[in-house]
Amino acid sequence: MRVTDALENNPRVSLAALEALHTDVLGWALSRCDFNLHVAEDLVQQAYMEILSGRARFDAEASLKTFVFGVVRNLAKSRLRRLTTRLRILRRHAAETTDDGVMPPDPDRHDALWQAVMRLPARQRDIVELVFCRDLTIEEASRVMGVTTGTGRVHYDRAKKALRRELGATLEDRGDA
């Protein structure tokens, strides 16, 4: 699909207008991700995809610049929520902290986690990897997998439950639980 064809999903947005805003949008994205250029570029690309696909609809109640900045801001907040959730999960399964409060890496737990992930059925394994390793939302991962969002959510939920069961049993066997 060409960009001009995709803009038909958002008829109030022109390619020239997006191009004129690009530098400002990238600057805004940089400020939303602690000036990490790679993350900012990903945010901008994802914002453009949201706009081009029509998932983010410009209704001309605000300026185009405000609208695009809002899309970037929302995507950055969503990314931060996913990272925070991921950190919370990792901390829950991490080794006990040392006296200085640093959590040392535990290769046994890491290996146990990935062995458990690899034993999941293919679709569950795929959605776990796409969400936790590739930083996609469940909706995006579902699109990648060619399934509906509802089906993706079911696979994600089943994978989490299976991993909780298996990792809980593994930790109990090791005397860590």
Side-chain angles (χ1 to χ4, degrees):
M1 176 181 278
R2 295 182 327 204
V3 172
T4 53
D5 294 336
L7 284 172
E8 292 175 8
N9 294 324
N10 234 333
R12 297 176 188 257
V13 178
S14 73
L15 182 58
L18 283 177
E19 287 173 345
L21 290 175
H22 181 73
T23 302
D24 290 336
V25 171
L26 182 59
W28 173 247
L30 281 165
S31 73
R32 301 294 90 207
C33 61
D34 294 326
F35 297 92
N36 181 320
L37 181 60
H38 298 293
V39 173
E41 289 171 337
D42 287 345
L43 282 173
V44 171
Q45 181 178 7
Q46 191 176 359
Y48 290 158
M49 292 305 298
E50 294 286 316
I51 293 165
L52 293 173
S53 70
R55 286 189 304 268
R57 302 283 299 168
F58 179 57
D59 58 13
E61 287 183 18
S63 71
L64 180 61
K65 184 175 185 176
T66 303
F67 165 71
V68 176
F69 277 28
V71 172
V72 169
R73 183 199 52 162
N74 290 338
L75 291 170
K77 284 174 65 175
S78 176
R79 179 182 176 277
L80 180 62
R81 276 192 305 273
R82 286 192 308 273
L83 289 173
T84 302
T85 300
R86 217 179 289 164
L87 283 173
R88 195 169 39 246
I89 290 168
L90 289 173
R91 283 188 182 127
R92 199 175 313 144
H93 293 289
E96 292 181 28
T97 59
T98 60
D99 291 337
D100 62 0
V102 176
M103 288 188 245
D106 184 346
D108 292 337
R109 285 189 183 199
H110 184 266
D111 289 345
L113 172 63
W114 283 111
Q115 287 172 7
V117 169
M118 295 311 293
R119 285 190 290 273
L120 291 171
R123 285 189 174 179
Q124 292 177 21
R125 184 177 58 243
D126 288 349
I127 199 148
V128 166
E129 180 181 350
L130 289 168
V131 171
F132 284 96
C133 300
R134 307 295 172 222
D135 201 29
L136 296 180
T137 64
I138 294 172
E139 293 80 10
E140 293 166 331
S142 299
R143 271 187 249 118
V144 169
M145 295 168 54
V147 299
T148 66
T149 300
T151 299
R153 288 186 192 285
V154 167
H155 290 303
Y156 182 73
D157 187 57
R158 288 178 181 168
K160 286 192 317 184
K161 288 177 181 172
L163 290 171
R164 272 192 205 109
R165 277 191 309 271
E166 186 165 338
L167 292 172
T170 302
L171 294 176
E172 287 170 10
D173 292 343
R174 290 182 45 210
D176 292 342

